[in-house]
Amino acid sequence: MTDTLSYLSNAEIGFLDGLYADYQQNPATISPEWKSFFDGFTFARNNYEAGAAVGESPEHIQKELSVLNLINAYRSRGHLFAQTNPILPSRAFQPTLDIENFGLRETDLDTVFASATEIGIGPAPLRKVIDHLKTTYCGTIGVEYKYIRNPDITGWLESHMEPGRNQPNFSKEEKHIILEKLGQSTTFEQFLHRKFVGQKRFSLEGAESVIPALDAIIESGADQGIREFVLGMAHRGRLNVLTNIMRKEYDSVFGEFEGKGLSDNVFDGDVKYHMGFSSDIVSRGGHKVHLSLLPNPSHLETVDPVVIGTARAKMDNIYEDDHNRICPILIHGDASLAGQGVVYEVIQMSQLDGYEVGGTIHIVLNNQIGFTTNARDARSSTYCTDVAKVTLSPVFHVNGDDPEAFFHVAKIAMAFRQKFHRDVFIDVVCYRKYGHNEGDEPRFTQPLMYDAISKHASPFEVYAAKLKKENTIDDAHVSALNKKLSDNLDKEWEESRVHEYKISNKPTRMWDGLEFYDDHKLEANPKTTITKKMLQDIGKSITTLPQDFTPHRNIVNLLKLRAEMAGSGKNIDWGMAEHLAYGSILLDKRDVRISGQDVRRGTFSHRHAVLFDQTKDIVEGAYEPLNYLADKQGRLMIYNSLLSEYAVLGFDAGYAMAAPRSLTIWEAQFGDFVNGAQIIIDQFLSASKTKWQRLCGLVLLLPHGFEGQGPEHSSARLERFLILCAENNMFVCNFTTPANLFHALRRQVLSNTRRPLVVFTPKSLLRHPLCVSELSDFTEKGLREVIDDHNPDPKSVKRVVFVTGKLYYDLWQQQKAYNLKDVAVVRLEQIYPLPLDAIEAVKAKYKGAKEFIWAQEEPENMGAWPFISRKLRTIPFEVVARKESASPATGTPSQHTTQQHYIIRKSLNLAPDAEIK
């Protein structure tokens, strides 16, 4: 039976005869691949004795092709038969790589085949070819790469594996380094197990070889120009990585086990195996390298996009867009890699202009189990790494008991990343010595697996035995190493008993000069106004196009309107206010990054930050006016994202955390879509300061407003954000004026601290004739957190209606239509932190008011009301809202209108049948 994976199996003898005749007559007339084949064939025929010589018959040429088929099969499917599992029998796959499946027989084993030149061993007997292929592709390393469509990449991989048969050839010194790093990992886990009995540490035992492999990546990367690695990983093995790779002091970790360093008046903290850490090291080659391990929650793989965003921010801002100087490393679990959808999103963005980082090295700690779930129940795919095929990334499967193989593969992976700037995966097949944690009993569900694990020697013991067998070390060497490592840990333990340790993860470098905000006292807003000249200069620049640019006819009208706004200082709308904010920040030599679905134009066609020449393709014809304000300015980086919320918001959160001097914005296509990224909001936006001492100034723009578009396009879930608000951890705003958005965006970069800004942005108000601002709103007034009614006679007011967002204009129009002088409509523009002084001042102003109304479009159990009712108990509010509902909004336009009119009438105390004018 022939292998159906290769086209060569279908080659016809007559075709080959003709091709060979062409070769003999003029080799230049055939393809390089066939020329190379026939060169080897001719060489073999001319240089081997007749008894073993290559034949000239068509039948022999067919066997040459069969050998090429065999080579291709090993390259394509050898990984299925590799010896990568340290504890369990290998799975059986069909068809096998037996030579009979390729039209070959045992009698061919000593026949010399020119096809052997394909793997770099010259014309050679079939027996030698098979041995070479088995060693290369079916040893303790298995490789998946033949699905890659770029021959330069596949050729590079083969050139780094086949000549040396994928067998590392390390010096004695290198082997000692591997053994010592492995010993550090093993001794550390054993020490913790003895000293902190019963405490969770999520041991690395069974996968200790990841430590020498990470060391290999960092050392070889440093030699190739990398000056920073950004790491992300879950809890398993994290403490080991922190100490033995990041070089966090052992006594600090010991102190954390005993609860030292945590102080309620500093930050609440997190469990020790979630904390981040950064350090500066000097590699063995003498290179200075910065290492960052980001903090992570228990939500597996959530940190992945944050790592990538952080790396991109540093690449953009520190390393001058040089991919070769910074590299992300993600360490996954097998079950989470296969099961968590954010992994797919992250991988899918890896080659996109707005999100690529020059390739990520993925390491999978393949414990062959997820908590208690077997691999067969954890995925449908053959491998947990099959998601790598989405972006045609190579995958190395390696036996966790062979640290030399892992070390070898790690070096290849680092070189691959530097060469091709693409993702690469290393799947280390290993095991988990204990249950999910040290107190868990795994034999309840995996009795046979854990029976095998209990009898299995540790990777350190396996490797030490190997080195002793080859006379690289002796028993004395092992004993001395164990003693040195144990004595060092004992010393660190004693120091931890007396060391006053304070946990401090305060970021440095890009954060120098910025401060942590006070959890209990809100700082004053910075000055955010700009001059009239700056406003007009920005307006002129963004409305002036290159002479040879052909805009869409509607863009011509838009630019004309914007030019009039800038010139007159009147009727400045939302889109123009955005441009003025971005332009002023760019002129301050700060960068602006905006990403999300359709952000270049804007979901509702209001932004148009990127214009397109109607006569050119979208790449050549794209023009970004904000990047042409001045010779020296910041960069506008605006990217339409892939159709993802979770990963893209995570990426932008990571970017903002690493680029605090820039304005970083993520915009949802519709506000309610943000719920697909709730984990990022809960962990990296809401709680990152109190858990990890990490600030993030990311801006979220969430289109919001009840306009009859149904349950999914009405509410951005204001209530969910307000539930998370505490300790001054974010700004939550629902603005009614373009100028307020302008000032809020500028506040984000001009403040001496950073916190997220969540803006519930309008839809219909983008073009509402009343939703405009004037010149003085930008040049004289700052952010107005509360906007009072314009009622000239406060004494006449009997009812005060507090409102936020779009509903204000519905109320104001009816207030004006009915000349309601006894009603004041007050806008709460910033909902959190609540501007209590301003609210109290409004209340005091309307001393004669008998009724206080909180009016909102959302159902009573949603929107701001649950928050307002809890935080403003001193004001006797009556709420006017849609009735409590499980769904945010109705899908029926007529019902929407009925509900909206009810809210307006009820809020303004109009008759139930009063006409809405």
Coordinates of all heavy atoms in Angstrom, one line a residue, residues 400-442:
G400 N 9.7 15.0 27.9 CA 10.1 15.7 29.0 C 11.2 15.1 29.9 O 11.8 15.8 30.7
D401 N 11.4 13.8 29.7 CA 12.5 13.1 30.4 C 13.9 13.3 29.6 O 14.9 12.7 30.1 CB 12.2 11.6 30.5 CG 11.5 11.3 31.8 OD1 11.2 12.3 32.6 OD2 11.1 10.2 32.0
D402 N 13.9 14.0 28.5 CA 15.1 14.2 27.8 C 15.4 15.7 27.7 O 15.1 16.3 26.7 CB 15.0 13.6 26.3 CG 16.3 13.6 25.6 OD1 17.3 14.2 26.1 OD2 16.3 12.9 24.5
P403 N 16.1 16.2 28.7 CA 16.3 17.6 28.8 C 17.3 18.1 27.7 O 17.2 19.2 27.3 CB 16.9 17.8 30.2 CG 17.4 16.5 30.6 CD 16.5 15.5 30.0
E404 N 18.1 17.2 27.2 CA 19.0 17.6 26.1 C 18.2 17.8 24.8 O 18.4 18.8 24.1 CB 20.1 16.5 25.9 CG 21.2 16.6 26.9 CD 22.3 15.6 26.5 OE1 22.4 15.2 25.3 OE2 23.2 15.3 27.4
A405 N 17.2 17.0 24.6 CA 16.4 17.2 23.4 C 15.6 18.5 23.5 O 15.4 19.2 22.6 CB 15.4 16.0 23.3
F406 N 15.1 18.7 24.7 CA 14.3 19.9 25.0 C 15.2 21.2 24.8 O 14.8 22.2 24.1 CB 13.7 19.9 26.4 CG 12.6 20.8 26.7 CD1 11.9 20.8 27.9 CD2 12.2 21.8 25.7 CE1 10.8 21.6 28.2 CE2 11.1 22.6 26.0 CZ 10.5 22.6 27.2
F407 N 16.4 21.1 25.3 CA 17.4 22.2 25.2 C 17.7 22.4 23.7 O 17.7 23.6 23.3 CB 18.7 21.7 26.0 CG 19.6 22.9 26.4 CD1 19.3 23.5 27.6 CD2 20.7 23.2 25.6 CE1 20.2 24.5 28.0 CE2 21.5 24.2 26.1 CZ 21.3 24.9 27.2
H408 N 17.9 21.4 23.0 CA 18.2 21.4 21.6 C 17.0 22.1 20.8 O 17.2 23.0 20.0 CB 18.5 20.0 21.1 CG 18.5 19.8 19.6 ND1 19.5 20.3 18.8 CD2 17.6 19.2 18.7 CE1 19.3 20.0 17.5 NE2 18.2 19.3 17.5
V409 N 15.8 21.6 21.0 CA 14.7 22.2 20.4 C 14.4 23.6 20.7 O 14.0 24.4 19.9 CB 13.4 21.3 20.7 CG1 12.1 22.0 20.4 CG2 13.5 20.0 20.0
A410 N 14.7 24.0 22.0 CA 14.6 25.4 22.4 C 15.5 26.3 21.6 O 15.1 27.4 21.2 CB 14.9 25.5 23.9
K411 N 16.7 25.8 21.4 CA 17.6 26.7 20.6 C 17.1 26.8 19.1 O 17.2 27.9 18.5 CB 19.0 26.1 20.6 CG 19.7 26.2 21.9 CD 21.2 25.8 21.8 CE 22.0 26.2 23.0 NZ 23.4 25.9 22.9
I412 N 16.6 25.7 18.6 CA 16.1 25.8 17.2 C 14.9 26.7 17.2 O 14.8 27.6 16.2 CB 15.7 24.4 16.7 CG1 16.9 23.5 16.5 CG2 14.9 24.5 15.4 CD1 16.5 22.1 16.1
A413 N 14.0 26.6 18.2 CA 12.8 27.5 18.2 C 13.2 29.0 18.3 O 12.6 29.8 17.6 CB 12.0 27.1 19.4
M414 N 14.2 29.3 19.1 CA 14.7 30.7 19.2 C 15.2 31.2 17.9 O 14.9 32.3 17.4 CB 15.7 30.8 20.3 CG 16.1 32.2 20.6 SD 14.9 33.2 21.5 CE 14.3 34.2 20.1
A415 N 16.0 30.3 17.2 CA 16.6 30.7 15.9 C 15.6 30.9 14.9 O 15.6 31.8 14.0 CB 17.7 29.7 15.5
F416 N 14.6 30.0 14.9 CA 13.5 30.1 13.9 C 12.7 31.4 14.1 O 12.4 32.1 13.1 CB 12.5 28.9 14.1 CG 11.3 28.9 13.3 CD1 11.2 28.4 12.0 CD2 10.1 29.5 13.8 CE1 10.1 28.5 11.2 CE2 9.0 29.6 13.0 CZ 9.0 29.1 11.7
R417 N 12.4 31.7 15.3 CA 11.7 32.9 15.6 C 12.5 34.2 15.1 O 11.9 35.1 14.5 CB 11.4 33.1 17.1 CG 10.4 34.2 17.5 CD 11.2 35.5 17.8 NE 10.3 36.6 18.1 CZ 10.6 37.8 18.3 NH1 11.9 38.2 18.2 NH2 9.7 38.7 18.7
Q418 N 13.7 34.2 15.3 CA 14.5 35.3 14.9 C 14.7 35.4 13.4 O 14.8 36.4 12.8 CB 15.9 35.2 15.5 CG 15.9 35.5 17.0 CD 15.5 36.9 17.4 OE1 14.3 37.1 17.5 NE2 16.4 37.8 17.6
K419 N 14.7 34.2 12.7 CA 14.8 34.2 11.3 C 13.5 34.6 10.6 O 13.6 35.3 9.6 CB 15.3 32.7 10.9 CG 15.3 32.5 9.4 CD 16.4 33.2 8.7 CE 16.5 32.8 7.2 NZ 17.6 33.5 6.5
F420 N 12.4 34.0 11.0 CA 11.2 34.1 10.3 C 10.1 35.0 10.9 O 9.1 35.3 10.3 CB 10.6 32.8 10.0 CG 11.4 31.9 9.1 CD1 12.2 30.9 9.6 CD2 11.6 32.2 7.7 CE1 13.0 30.1 8.8 CE2 12.4 31.4 6.9 CZ 13.1 30.3 7.5
H421 N 10.3 35.4 12.2 CA 9.4 36.2 12.9 C 8.0 35.7 12.9 O 7.0 36.4 12.6 CB 9.5 37.7 12.4 CG 10.8 38.3 12.6 ND1 11.5 38.9 11.6 CD2 11.6 38.4 13.6 CE1 12.6 39.4 12.0 NE2 12.7 39.1 13.3
R422 N 7.9 34.4 13.2 CA 6.6 33.7 13.3 C 6.6 32.9 14.6 O 7.6 32.6 15.2 CB 6.5 32.7 12.1 CG 6.5 33.4 10.7 CD 6.3 32.4 9.6 NE 4.9 31.9 9.6 CZ 3.9 32.5 9.0 NH1 4.1 33.6 8.3 NH2 2.7 32.0 9.0
D423 N 5.4 32.5 15.0 CA 5.2 31.7 16.2 C 5.8 30.3 16.0 O 5.8 29.8 14.9 CB 3.7 31.6 16.5 CG 3.1 32.9 17.0 OD1 3.7 33.9 16.9 OD2 2.0 32.8 17.6
V424 N 6.2 29.7 17.1 CA 6.7 28.4 17.1 C 6.3 27.7 18.4 O 6.2 28.4 19.4 CB 8.2 28.4 16.9 CG1 8.9 29.2 18.0 CG2 8.8 26.9 16.9
F425 N 6.0 26.5 18.3 CA 5.4 25.7 19.5 C 6.4 24.6 19.9 O 6.9 23.9 19.1 CB 4.0 25.1 19.2 CG 2.9 26.1 19.1 CD1 2.9 27.0 18.1 CD2 2.0 26.2 20.1 CE1 1.8 28.0 18.0 CE2 0.9 27.1 20.0 CZ 0.9 28.0 19.0
I426 N 6.5 24.5 21.2 CA 7.2 23.3 21.8 C 6.3 22.6 22.8 O 5.9 23.2 23.8 CB 8.5 23.7 22.5 CG1 9.4 24.6 21.6 CG2 9.3 22.5 23.1 CD1 10.6 25.1 22.4
D427 N 5.9 21.4 22.4 CA 5.0 20.6 23.2 C 5.9 19.6 24.0 O 6.3 18.6 23.5 CB 4.0 19.9 22.3 CG 3.2 18.9 23.0 OD1 2.9 19.0 24.2 OD2 2.7 17.9 22.4
V428 N 6.1 19.9 25.3 CA 6.9 19.0 26.1 C 6.0 18.0 26.8 O 5.1 18.4 27.7 CB 7.8 19.8 27.2 CG1 7.0 20.7 28.0 CG2 8.5 18.8 28.0
V429 N 6.0 16.8 26.4 CA 5.2 15.8 26.9 C 5.8 15.3 28.2 O 6.9 14.7 28.3 CB 5.0 14.6 25.9 CG1 4.0 13.6 26.4 CG2 4.6 15.1 24.5
C430 N 5.0 15.5 29.3 CA 5.6 15.2 30.6 C 4.5 14.7 31.5 O 3.6 13.9 31.0 CB 6.2 16.5 31.2 SG 5.0 17.9 31.2
Y431 N 4.5 15.0 32.8 CA 3.4 14.5 33.7 C 3.4 15.4 34.9 O 4.2 16.3 35.1 CB 3.7 13.1 34.1 CG 5.0 12.8 34.8 CD1 5.2 12.9 36.1 CD2 6.2 12.5 34.0 CE1 6.4 12.7 36.8 CE2 7.4 12.3 34.6 CZ 7.5 12.4 36.0 OH 8.7 12.2 36.6
R432 N 2.4 15.3 35.7 CA 2.1 16.1 36.9 C 2.3 15.1 38.1 O 1.5 14.2 38.2 CB 0.7 16.7 36.8 CG 0.4 17.7 37.8 CD -1.1 18.0 37.7 NE -2.0 16.9 38.0 CZ -3.3 16.8 37.8 NH1 -3.9 17.7 37.1 NH2 -4.0 15.7 38.1
K433 N 3.3 15.3 38.9 CA 3.6 14.3 39.9 C 2.4 14.2 40.9 O 2.1 13.1 41.4 CB 4.9 14.7 40.7 CG 5.3 13.7 41.7 CD 6.6 14.0 42.4 CE 7.0 13.0 43.4 NZ 8.3 13.3 44.0
Y434 N 1.8 15.3 41.3 CA 0.7 15.3 42.2 C -0.6 15.5 41.5 O -0.7 15.5 40.3 CB 0.9 16.3 43.3 CG 2.2 16.1 44.1 CD1 3.3 16.9 43.8 CD2 2.4 15.1 45.0 CE1 4.5 16.8 44.4 CE2 3.6 14.9 45.6 CZ 4.7 15.8 45.4 OH 5.9 15.6 46.0
G435 N -1.7 15.7 42.3 CA -2.9 16.1 41.6 C -2.9 17.5 41.2 O -1.8 18.1 41.0
H436 N -4.1 18.1 40.9 CA -4.1 19.5 40.5 C -3.3 20.4 41.4 O -2.7 21.3 40.9 CB -5.6 19.9 40.4 CG -5.7 21.3 39.9 ND1 -5.4 21.7 38.7 CD2 -6.2 22.4 40.6 CE1 -5.6 23.0 38.5 NE2 -6.1 23.5 39.7
N437 N -3.4 20.1 42.6 CA -2.5 20.8 43.6 C -2.0 19.7 44.6 O -2.4 18.5 44.5 CB -3.2 21.9 44.3 CG -4.4 21.4 45.1 OD1 -4.3 20.6 46.0 ND2 -5.6 21.9 44.7
E438 N -1.2 20.1 45.5 CA -0.5 19.1 46.3 C -1.4 18.4 47.3 O -1.1 17.3 47.8 CB 0.7 19.8 47.1 CG 1.9 20.2 46.2 CD 1.5 21.2 45.2 OE1 0.7 22.1 45.4 OE2 2.1 21.2 44.0
G439 N -2.6 19.0 47.5 CA -3.5 18.3 48.4 C -4.6 17.5 47.7 O -5.5 16.9 48.3
D440 N -4.5 17.4 46.4 CA -5.5 16.7 45.6 C -5.1 15.3 45.4 O -3.9 14.9 45.2 CB -5.6 17.4 44.2 CG -6.8 16.9 43.4 OD1 -7.8 16.6 44.0 OD2 -6.6 16.7 42.2
E441 N -6.0 14.3 45.3 CA -5.8 12.9 45.2 C -6.1 12.5 43.7 O -7.2 12.4 43.3 CB -6.6 12.1 46.1 CG -6.5 10.6 45.9 CD -5.0 10.1 45.9 OE1 -4.4 10.0 46.9 OE2 -4.5 9.8 44.8
P442 N -5.1 12.3 42.9 CA -5.3 12.0 41.5 C -5.8 10.6 41.2 O -6.3 10.3 40.1 CB -4.0 12.3 40.8 CG -3.0 12.1 41.9 CD -3.6 12.5 43.2

